[in-house]
Amino acid sequence: MAQAPKALDDARGRLEAIYEHLDVSEDAQVRLARPHRVVEISIPVRMDDGSLQVFPAWRVQYDTTRGPGKGGIRFHPDVDASEVTALAFWMAIKCAVVDLPFGGAKGGICVNPKELSRLELERLSRGYIRGFYDCIGPDEDIPAPDMNTNATIMGWMADEYAKIARAQYPAVITGKPIGLGGSAGRVEATGEGALEVLKIYLEQQDTKPEDLTVAVQGFGNAGYYFATAAQKLGLTIVAVSDSQGAVYSKKGLDVDSVWRHKNKTRELKGILYSETSVDEEKNVDHLSNEELLCLDVDVLVLAALENQITEDNADAIKAEVILEIANGPVTSDADKILGEKNILVLPDVLVNTGGVIVSYYEWIQNRIGDYWPAEKVNGRMRERIGREAKACFELASKHKVDYRSACYMHGLKRITAAMDHRGTHGYFNGDC
């Protein structure tokens, strides 16, 4: 079995093929080859039993040419510097794809947050801000939630920043609770934005949603909000999975029922993470995550981790369309195999931008002190992601490239143009 490539190597490895379709200066290529800043710290946390644990943590600002860094913070036991750097790179691309005035950044802590108490989790979250206080700010780098972080954690972080600064700076963090300056529509934005991209694609193919079956790998917030909105649109959700397993029903699942079951212990105990798996659902077929990936469905939604489809399992994929809500779930080697099988991939750098778009709107609302209703936020998000999706689809048709290449081209044109406006080798040598 071949080992999946490091996310960072795989992410940057895609650029060479993209440059063949773009007139990109050598200066811009050199700048995009390495991150602007990588900071690593250790966060000491006093545990409830009196012991001390130290957790490694990172903040990476890959590129800030177009504006302050923007990117989430993930808590996961497998987080490392390479993964965070790859995620920051993808953030730079996706912010440019949907024309946000941000660069790409990301953060992470190597921890299994489900093993921590609420008080330990709060100490860890506040420790992250103390450690990276000098690296972030409303005009420098704006964190947000990511895997295993949420509005509660963002609220603690924003509060810690305010304590250190001795002033209120709500725009330093997005994805906060509504009462602390969060935006209506933020929680569901990633999933609903992904559905908007799929909807536009289906309209262009003259395909009716009610004729399609869907399997969703990853039943967290993004996967759930996609699935429930997709079900309302008419698509049949036949399978969903979390880290412990998958459930399947040929006739279709009741998405809200599965979600309530998965989260019942969290609601009863007031905890931050679910202790229940979808795999415990009754009256359905039970599958492994690997089996879910290979289901014969029309649309396979990848909303879990990176490197889920590799050269080892790409041949077994039967879906006609893959929708990437997670970051980097399909490797470049797998992309080639899927292309040969005529399986279409709607890529992450467009599909999952709904969250960062609404984070941008939260940042604006924080700075002007005026807050919008959910209808306005969601409407503006759908309009922006829809406009940029159509531009990417047109680019793919014009250059006869796949959708991933078209999205990268769309974003890189904006990034490299901003870099070149600051001067190039040719300019300073009088060549242009």
Side-chain angles (χ1 to χ4, degrees):
M1 180 181 291
Q3 186 175 5
K6 282 283 189 180
L8 178 58
D9 295 336
D10 201 51
R12 291 193 296 209
R14 298 181 187 272
L15 292 180
E16 292 183 12
I18 305 302
Y19 290 151
E20 295 178 4
H21 298 279
L22 293 175
D23 182 19
V24 178
S25 70
E26 185 177 344
D27 291 34
Q29 293 185 42
V30 169
R31 290 182 63 178
L32 282 169
R34 296 184 62 83
H36 169 64
R37 178 159 66 168
V38 179
V39 182
E40 179 177 352
I41 66 170
S42 296
I43 305 175
V45 176
R46 183 66 62 186
M47 310 303 283
D48 290 347
D49 64 2
S51 65
L52 183 72
Q53 289 193 31
V54 179
F55 300 91
W58 296 268
R59 190 69 191 172
V60 176
Q61 293 152 5
Y62 199 94
D63 180 74
T64 54
T65 306
R66 285 171 46 86
K70 188 78 190 78
I73 302 169
R74 66 172 47 182
F75 291 180
H76 195 275
D78 294 331
V79 165
D80 60 20
S82 176
E83 180 184 49
V84 176
T85 304
L87 293 166
F89 168 80
W90 281 318
M91 282 301 303
I93 301 295
K94 71 177 64 174
C95 286
V97 166
V98 289
D99 203 17
L100 301 180
F102 291 139
K106 208 75 177 186
I109 303 177
C110 184
V111 60
N112 184 351
K114 297 180 182 181
E115 296 178 352
L116 303 186
S117 71
R118 278 177 285 177
L119 287 173
E120 291 167 343
L121 194 64
E122 181 181 8
R123 294 178 201 127
L124 179 67
S125 302
R126 291 180 180 275
Y128 186 92
I129 296 301
R130 289 194 297 273
F132 289 108
Y133 176 81
D134 293 333
C135 302
I136 64 174
D139 296 305
E140 184 175 4
D141 183 1
I142 307 110
D146 194 75
M147 184 177 296
N148 290 327
T149 55
N150 54 24
T152 299
I153 291 171
M154 294 304 106
W156 291 334
M157 290 184 171
D159 181 63
E160 189 66 22
Y161 188 92
K163 286 182 177 179
I164 298 169
R166 295 182 180 272
Q168 291 295 325
Y169 291 98
V172 70
I173 300 274
T174 61
K176 304 179 295 295
I178 296 292
L180 294 177
S183 175
R186 175 61 183 85
V187 175
E188 61 269 30
T190 302
E192 293 190 355
L195 179 61
E196 187 68 18
V197 174
L198 178 62
K199 181 180 174 182
I200 291 169
Y201 168 76
L202 296 178
E203 289 172 351
Q204 292 189 352
Q205 302 300 312
D206 198 25
T207 300
K208 296 179 181 179
E210 53 267 27
D211 294 335
L212 302 180
T213 55
V214 182
V216 181
Q217 186 211 33
F219 203 52
N221 274 346
Y224 164 69
Y225 282 108
F226 167 84
T228 189
Q231 194 170 60
K232 291 175 183 175
L233 187 63
L235 291 95
T236 302
I237 311 298
V238 298
V240 300
S241 72
D242 57 22
S243 60
Q244 299 180 52
V247 291
Y248 170 80
S249 173
K250 184 176 181 179
K251 295 181 179 179
L253 298 167
D254 182 340
V255 173
D256 283 330
S257 176
V258 177
W259 180 252
R260 286 194 299 270
H261 175 79
K262 176 178 169 62
N263 288 280
K264 64 182 181 182
T265 54
R266 177 165 63 182
E267 293 169 1
L268 288 173
K269 297 182 181 180
I271 58 178
L272 289 170
Y273 302 105
S274 173
E275 292 179 341
T276 308
S277 169
V278 298
D279 197 40
E280 298 177 20
E281 189 77 7
K282 308 297 182 183
N283 303 316
V284 291
D285 294 327
H286 295 263
L287 309 173
S288 67
N289 263 293
E290 292 74 19
E291 289 172 324
L292 178 140
L293 292 175
C294 300
L295 285 173
D296 188 5
V297 293
D298 298 299
V299 181
L300 174 61
V301 178
L302 302 176
L305 288 166
E306 59 268 13
N307 293 341
Q308 296 302 294
I309 299 181
T310 68
E311 59 180 327
D312 292 323
N313 63 357
D315 269 329
I317 304 302
K318 301 181 182 69
E320 295 181 10
V321 177
I322 292 175
L323 190 73
E324 293 185 331
I325 298 181
N327 292 302
V330 178
T331 68
S332 54
D333 288 335
D335 251 342
K336 297 173 185 176
I337 297 170
L338 296 174
E340 293 169 357
K341 290 164 61 72
N342 293 317
I343 296 175
L344 182 136
V345 179
L346 294 173
D348 50 358
V349 292
L350 170 65
V351 169
N352 68 20
T353 55
V356 71
I357 291 171
V358 175
S359 278
Y360 168 56
Y361 296 152
E362 180 177 333
W363 180 74
I364 291 175
Q365 293 170 79
N366 291 157
R367 305 201 76 160
I368 66 176
D370 183 30
Y371 292 86
W372 311 334
E375 294 78 11
K376 180 175 180 178
V377 173
N378 293 333
R380 293 189 65 171
M381 181 272 288
R382 287 193 295 269
E383 187 278 331
R384 180 181 288 265
I385 201 171
R387 179 184 70 231
E388 302 299 340
K390 291 174 183 176
C392 290
F393 294 166
E394 289 172 6
L395 204 60
S397 177
K398 178 181 177 180
H399 291 273
K400 294 181 172 53
V401 297
D402 58 58
Y403 286 154
R404 189 187 308 281
S405 297
C407 290
Y408 270 70
M409 290 166 62
H410 193 52
L412 283 168
K413 280 194 297 186
R414 287 170 171 156
I415 295 173
T416 58
M419 289 178 172
D420 290 350
H421 288 325
R422 297 182 178 182
T424 64
H425 177 266
Y427 173 81
F428 287 110
N429 278 275
D431 295 339
C432 60

